[in-house]
Amino acid sequence: MIFHETEIPGAWVIDLEQRADSRGFFARAFCAREFQAHGINPAVVQCNLSYNHVRATLRGMHYQLAPQAEAKLVRCTSGAIFDVILDLRPRSAAYCRWYGVELTASNRRMLYVPEGCAHGYLTLADGTEVFYQVSAYYAPEAERGVRWNDSAFGIRWPSEPSVISERDRAYPDFVP
């Protein structure tokens, strides 16, 4: 795997290191030792799959409070997304800053989202599927979110969402 640091401390874009031959290619998509060597939490207790019917579906920006805070390893297995993380860790040098990257089935990139960061994405194609490996169990009582278009963050989405849940649309203004 090839690890690329982002502007968000502890967040990484990960590319596969492909070994190709006449059959196609082979690549390691997860290795606890390599993750630990980069300061990445390798724990996986749950895997989630999200299917989205249409382009411009927005999901996010979600996170869980400590002690149920979760890290995520996100990849797009069909279609394409603009994937965004938002640093909500008050002691972070990147507090309230965001980072976005395009994850597609064809580029096979992954985004590692550290604990304390909100996560969301906008689909760029119909029939998009997203697969997450998660470090903590889902805890409804710890679930929180911030609004995708809150001016406190200024996230620049590639297009306006056409499908968004009422919950994601209704989060109040963020107060640091």
Side-chain angles (χ1 to χ4, degrees):
M1 290 173 286
I2 304 164
F3 294 80
H4 308 278
E5 287 187 86
T6 72
E7 297 89 29
I8 306 294
W12 297 82
V13 172
I14 304 166
D15 285 314
L16 299 180
E17 192 168 358
Q18 300 179 13
R19 300 184 196 286
D21 62 22
S22 61
R23 299 168 294 176
F25 74 85
F26 174 86
R28 186 172 30 244
F30 178 82
C31 175
R33 280 188 221 141
E34 286 186 55
F35 275 53
Q36 286 175 321
H38 287 87
I40 296 173
N41 179 356
V44 176
V45 300
Q46 188 172 296
C47 293
N48 303 326
L49 186 66
S50 171
Y51 178 79
N52 305 274
H53 294 290
V54 298
R55 180 187 177 282
T57 297
L58 189 132
R59 293 183 186 253
M61 301 290 296
H62 306 140
Y63 64 100
Q64 287 192 174
L65 295 174
Q68 291 89 7
E70 58 188 2
K72 297 177 184 175
L73 181 62
V74 183
R75 73 178 300 177
C76 182
T77 54
S78 179
I81 62 173
F82 182 69
D83 205 16
V84 174
I85 59 175
L86 173 62
D87 195 334
L88 294 177
R89 301 168 293 182
R91 292 189 174 100
S92 171
Y95 181 56
C96 290
R97 291 196 348 230
W98 65 276
Y99 175 82
V101 63
E102 192 170 305
L103 305 180
T104 71
S106 60
N107 74 17
R108 296 182 177 91
R109 286 191 135 170
M110 297 175 278
L111 179 64
Y112 177 78
V113 182
E115 295 93 340
C117 291
H119 171 255
Y121 63 85
L122 181 71
T123 61
L124 303 175
D126 293 344
T128 292
E129 185 177 274
V130 181
F131 182 79
Y132 311 62
Q133 292 171 250
V134 186
S135 69
Y137 295 105
Y138 173 65
E141 69 282 2
E143 183 180 40
R144 298 292 187 278
V146 295
R147 204 173 59 254
W148 65 279
N149 62 351
D150 192 317
S151 61
F153 311 119
I155 299 171
R156 291 185 308 275
W157 298 95
S159 65
E160 190 75 17
S162 62
V163 178
I164 183 170
S165 73
E166 186 53 42
R167 179 191 65 161
D168 289 350
R169 185 185 310 277
Y171 286 121
D173 287 344
F174 181 74
V175 180

